[in-house]
Amino acid sequence: MRASTVFHLGVKELRGLLRDPMLLILIAYAFTLSVYTGATALPETLNKAPIAIVDEDSSPLSVRVTSAFYPPYFVAPKVITKSEMDQRMDAGLDAFALDIPANFQRDLLAGRAPAIQLNVDATRMTQAFSGAGYVQSIVSEEVAAFADRYRSSAALPVDLTLRARFNPELNKGWFGAVMNVINNVTMLSIVLAGAALIREREHGTIEHLLVMPITPAEIMVSKVWSMSLVVLLASAFSIVVVVQGVLRVPIEGSIALFMLGTALQLFATTSMGVFLATLAGSMPQFGLLLMLVLLPLQVLSGGTTPRESMPEIVQTLMLAAPNTHFVMLAQAVLYRGAGFDVVWPQFLALFAIGVALFAFSLGRFRKSLA
């Protein structure tokens, strides 16, 4: 294998990528807008949910309950009439409509158990799922405080002090931003490496290469290093500019150490992309294979849900996937500020998996050329 040949072939791949506007747009979107929207969209906590209140009691208690709904969980509640409630719910103007009945305060003080009707727009799943609990908690707290004439807290036998480490604000965006970068590193590396091989096959340039004094290993290594370089630079830009700069997510550990782990991850995933391209005859077939491989890699690697919550057989099988070790490495370095002395097992696993995938893909690539 000649280094100069591998270098010039890699430069050829980079030039071919520059002439493909769709792939360039995909790279730019994946590491900018995709990361931003993934970190800020669909919050798990309730955020600015629209609520309307029908106050048929007009008592101090009903006013107190109405004033308890405020941002950031809810927008300022809109007081409406009972005849408007169904109409506004049908029009999708309110996610919640709270109906406080007449004589609510009088029945409460008389020892009765008055009921309040809560209507929820269940088409807004993210808000409806958690919002009903928020409304019930707020109403119960205000009613209890009014009935007791003061705000009281139950005396607990144990004083529990909460210390949220690594994410003291419990901000979902901090987690989502980094996880989107990790997922896009895997996706883009497989796509770019596979597309580079399929593009040459469709254009007929692979036959031109085979009549030259070039080995299959040199062709594959050139695709691996060139496409890995593109994704590595894009991910570094995303971490520094989008995650740290725009989203203001604090990075505790060394970005250089994370980039080194990313390079090992790219070594494995670009080899996987070449292997999938040898199985597929065209880009549509490659896309179908990509979905079958990419979804399990991302969902079962621990980036979406903790690995401990998965069946043991899945945990064991996913140890053979590079994503599992990359997620562990990235979370340890970027979130918890871990050094190489902590994450060296993940580095070693990524290197071993990358070598195995490269050797396997190279063997398959040679057979496909034959």
Side-chain angles (χ1 to χ4, degrees), residues 100-234:
I100 304 176
N103 303 321
F104 175 69
Q105 178 177 310
R106 186 183 67 181
D107 291 343
L108 178 69
L109 296 177
R112 304 185 185 96
I116 297 181
Q117 183 186 69
L118 174 63
N119 298 278
V120 182
D121 182 1
T123 60
R124 307 188 184 197
M125 281 302 299
T126 55
Q127 292 183 334
F129 182 75
S130 58
Y134 278 80
V135 174
Q136 182 178 2
S137 176
I138 291 173
V139 172
S140 299
E141 182 180 350
E142 295 299 326
V143 169
F146 179 83
D148 295 339
R149 297 296 193 274
Y150 65 95
R151 292 185 179 274
S152 61
S153 58
L156 298 177
V158 177
D159 186 13
L160 181 65
T161 302
L162 174 64
R163 182 188 179 193
R165 298 188 62 188
F166 315 120
N167 188 357
E169 296 182 5
L170 300 179
N171 190 337
K172 173 184 175 291
W174 291 14
F175 176 82
V178 174
M179 286 302 103
N180 272 275
V181 174
I182 292 173
N183 290 336
N184 289 336
V185 164
T186 302
M187 180 191 70
L188 263 298
S189 58
I190 297 176
V191 168
L192 293 182
L197 180 57
I198 293 178
R199 182 171 56 240
E200 286 198 348
R201 185 187 300 160
E202 291 178 345
H203 294 171
T205 55
I206 191 70
E207 287 79 7
H208 296 167
L209 293 176
L210 293 177
V211 299
M212 299 174 65
I214 298 175
T215 64
E218 291 172 337
I219 297 175
M220 182 171 171
V221 171
S222 66
K223 297 183 184 303
V224 168
W225 82 257
S226 58
M227 297 301 103
S228 296
L229 179 63
V230 172
V231 179
L232 189 66
L233 294 177

Side-chain angles (χ1 to χ4, degrees), residues 56-80:
E56 299 182 73
D57 192 29
S58 299
S59 63
L61 176 56
S62 64
V63 173
R64 181 172 185 161
V65 170
T66 302
S67 61
F69 296 94
Y70 48 81
Y73 299 123
F74 298 91
V75 298
K78 185 174 182 62
V79 180
I80 60 175

Side-chain angles (χ1 to χ4, degrees), residues 284-302:
Q285 292 180 6
F286 177 73
L288 293 176
L289 286 175
L290 179 64
M291 287 189 291
L292 293 176
V293 173
L294 191 61
L295 289 178
L297 282 179
Q298 294 183 347
V299 174
L300 302 178
S301 63

